[in-house]
Amino acid sequence: MIVEVALNLPLQKTFDYAWPEGLDVDPVPGLRVLVPFARRKMGGVITALKKHSDFSPLKKVEKTIEEDPSMTGEILDLCRWVASYYFCGWGEVLNSSLPGGMGLLLRQEFVRKRESLPGVEMLGKPFQNLVSTKERWSLEDWNRNQPGNEEKKLLKEWLRQGHLEKVQTFAGQRSRPKMERWVRLLNPEAKGDPKRKKTKKVQILEKLKKSPESSWEEIRSSIPNPAQALKNLEKEGVVEFFEKRVFRRFLAEPMPPIEEFQQLTDDQQKVFEELDDSIHKDEYQTFLLEGVTGSGKTEVYLHAVRLTQELGKSSLVLVPEISLTPLLVNRFRSRFGDNVAVLHSGMDDGERYDEWSRVRNGLTSIVVGARSAVFAPLNNLGLVIVDEEHDGSYKQAETPRYHARDVAVYRGFKANATVLLGSATPSLESSYNVQLGKYHPLFLKKRIFQPELPEVRLMDLKHCDRQKGSPYFSMELLEAIRQRLIRREQVLIFLNRRGYAPLMICEECNETLTCPNCSLSLVFHQGIGGLRCHHCDYFLPTPKTCPECGSKGPQKIVGSGTEQIEMELKNIFPRAEIMRMDRDALHGKHALSKMQRRIHDHEVDIVVGTQLITKGHDFPNVTLVGAILADLSLNLPDFRAGERTFQLLTQVAGRAGRAEKPGEVFIQTYNPRHHSLQCARDHDAKRYLEVELKQRKVLKVPPYWSMVLILCSSPSEKRAETLASMVRGRIKKIPQNVTIIGPLESPLKKLRNRFRWQVLLKAPEISVLKSLLNEMMQEPIKVQKDELLQIDVDPHHLI
Ligand code: ADP
Ligand code: ZN
Ligand code: ZN
């Protein structure tokens, strides 16, 4: 028997291996195995079985990693499609489809072949101890003693002369199933000593008669030190012990009480009926539900999931990472109880592995999760929901660079499922698909509680009066805040930049402090007393002298971030409770939901935050939203900058006045005439779509044209350029309709110590670009150590 195995390599092809005699498990597609590859061992996934191979001799599979395959046939196929669409390795996608805790532990070890090693006395004490007392030790043990040149040289010599052997050992999976010891009552007739009433034995038997299977933990909680009595009972054959798998849970708190489903409003009912039809039909169909925040989309999702459950099918619900808070999750749990599995990156490895296992073992049929949950191994999928479908975080920034929304649509298509994309501000791509007739449009135009949308005002920073000493605030905005504080209402202040100020400039030489690893200026953070790079996290304590000219002169800070806005508000409104909500303020696992709860319970009056404040729960008492500077996202050199700004502002504005109280929104800007801002002001998504689509057509960018970005990066500037030229050189003849931009230096020319050059390919059809890519990359382009050649299909970040 021969198996094809996909390995975690940037290659689309699989490798053939012989299946050896004597393994306990039979080969099936989806099973993970350990195989030899290029003088080492690697984990891989069986993708097919066959009788013959074109290669010989074949190496043998070394070991099976599991008894039951991790991958279902559906996920295998889905990953293959992702690999071919996004131009990366099948094994790479398979690997990233599994929770991190399922990664394999492969250790490098050294095995001593001689009684003593020549020259050992030349080493430091810790090394001598290690290599003389042990027969084998790991690379980590060795490195922990911080080997210097002497040690390194000697190690190499020992290996060369065969005194030592380097081997790789497999130490299982990173997260293991958590097992608990349990007790099962075998003889319900058993009795304790009738004369002695409350012996441990009697107590244990009483307990077991109520619940014949109990964990040791449970017994111990009511009967102290039960071990001896339990062991005696086992000897007597009254009970037996067994191991039971328990699933670690992220949400330790008890299940929220079960809630009734809301009676749908007429508008919701209309939307639901279309979904109902489609879900019953077992045919693929994608819907785009456009509904302002607070219009009751989530309630519709819940109803659709219930219907899917009733039909015996499973549901996949994707939401952006940061909206995946316990508040949202509990809305699902309070309707469907333990049938909901939650998958996101805030969970630790064990928890995520266990949730995933619950899905794989069929213990749940509803998954609510972030991006990578699109690969959750649900069977019999009936419904796929992608909430906030426009959100950029669905696109993965590293290999495999898939877009979870698009993968979700494809998954639904293959599974004959109903796909529901929801958003207050649909992406241009999805809206265009409605125009093309590929997606079916649905609308929820009114909010449930507050039929009026908030009044939005654009404040022209060039002309409005500013607060003295706090130039970032218009007088009107401050006055509006003051009014809310008097009325005991809450305020959200939005600025999409964390830190205190984005620039620190020397007054002597006018140089800006920049990151040594990236071509970006460092952001001043007062809280940590220094400057930080927002891309590579480089930190520089506030310098006493200018690193450029050495002058002790004053350093000037320019611009503002959330930290500064928070401080200024504290000065202006000393009695108000103010909370900052950005990545710097998030500490610990449940930080975001704690903050949301504080807002909800009105423990804070003013919240200053980045886009973290735009997501999540209802804040019924928020009646004012202020955007300090809308231009931040508008001015990026990216054709999606306007779209993102429109979406962001619409989302932020949607936070104002959700309950009985009307809301008001102030947007401060230097570009009050920009259509992204004007349409956000008028809540006019339709006009926005028209204007923006027209521009996109002229610019020849998505959704009309498809793009592939090839990014070459190297520690050497020259090499980055050379690589990009090599990429360009691979295109011998430019196919009709294809536009090539580059090789060019990337707008962000240096990042994390690598210089970046790029080639951008554009065409009206992605298929043209895919075949061009296939042709170009037939022979892989060789990169050196620390260099990267990244292919990004449908790129979302062009800088
Ligand atoms: P969205 O997801 O569009 O922001 P939600 O579903 O969260 O909207 O609804 C907003 C608020 O209205 C929530 O507090 C929700 O409980 C409530 N709600 C939604 N649908 C109904 C309904 N049919 N009847 C009563 N309240 C509803
Ligand atoms: Zn200077
Ligand atoms: Zn940096």
Side-chain angles (χ1 to χ4, degrees), residues 262-263 268 294-299 331 448-449 618 658:
Q262 311 260 26
Q263 176 86 36
Q268 284 172 319
S295 61
K297 294 187 295 296
T298 311
E299 192 60 39
R331 233 170 128 184
I448 297 274
F449 292 118
D618 276 345
R658 295 193 81 181

Side-chain angles (χ1 to χ4, degrees), residues 53-124:
S53 169
D54 297 339
F55 301 93
S56 122
L58 285 182
K59 289 187 190 162
K60 283 187 188 140
V61 169
E62 227 177 87
K63 203 177 172 49
T64 52
I65 289 164
E66 55 207 9
E67 284 169 21
D68 300 311
S70 297
M71 299 289 167
T72 62
E74 190 204 348
I75 299 297
L76 269 182
D77 290 347
L78 182 66
C79 289
R80 176 161 55 185
W81 177 80
V82 169
S84 87
Y85 186 86
Y86 292 100
F87 217 83
C88 55
W90 189 1
E92 285 179 309
V93 186
L94 287 168
N95 185 59
S96 74
S97 81
L98 293 174
M102 291 178 75
L104 304 184
L105 291 172
L106 283 165
R107 274 205 209 107
Q108 296 269 21
E109 288 193 328
F110 299 103
V111 181
R112 182 151 54 85
K113 294 288 186 192
R114 306 273 183 278
E115 198 45 49
S116 69
L117 296 165
V120 67
E121 62 286 348
M122 280 153 57
L123 299 182

Side-chain angles (χ1 to χ4, degrees), residues 215-233:
S215 71
W216 278 60
E217 233 9 85
E218 224 175 288
I219 295 175
R220 193 174 292 132
S221 67
S222 55
I223 306 162
N225 304 318
Q228 196 52 49
L230 276 168
K231 279 185 196 144
N232 291 341
L233 281 168

Side-chain angles (χ1 to χ4, degrees), residues 515-520 522 533-538 751-753:
C515 174
N517 310 325
C518 312
S519 51
L520 285 164
L522 291 167
C533 172
H534 282 189
H535 280 263
C536 72
D537 265 0
Y538 171 85
L751 186 66
R752 295 192 184 90
N753 271 322

Side-chain angles (χ1 to χ4, degrees), residues 259 262-266 268 291-303 328 331 335 387-388 444 447-449 616-618 655 658:
E259 266 174 22
Q262 311 260 26
Q263 176 86 36
L264 293 181
T265 63
D266 289 350
Q268 284 172 319
V292 293
T293 28
S295 61
K297 294 187 295 296
T298 311
E299 192 60 39
V300 171
Y301 301 161
L302 291 164
H303 280 254
L328 175 94
R331 233 170 128 184
R335 306 289 171 90
D387 190 30
E388 313 268 12
L444 283 174
R447 294 170 147 197
I448 297 274
F449 292 118
H617 205 59
D618 276 345
R655 305 271 92 189
R658 295 193 81 181

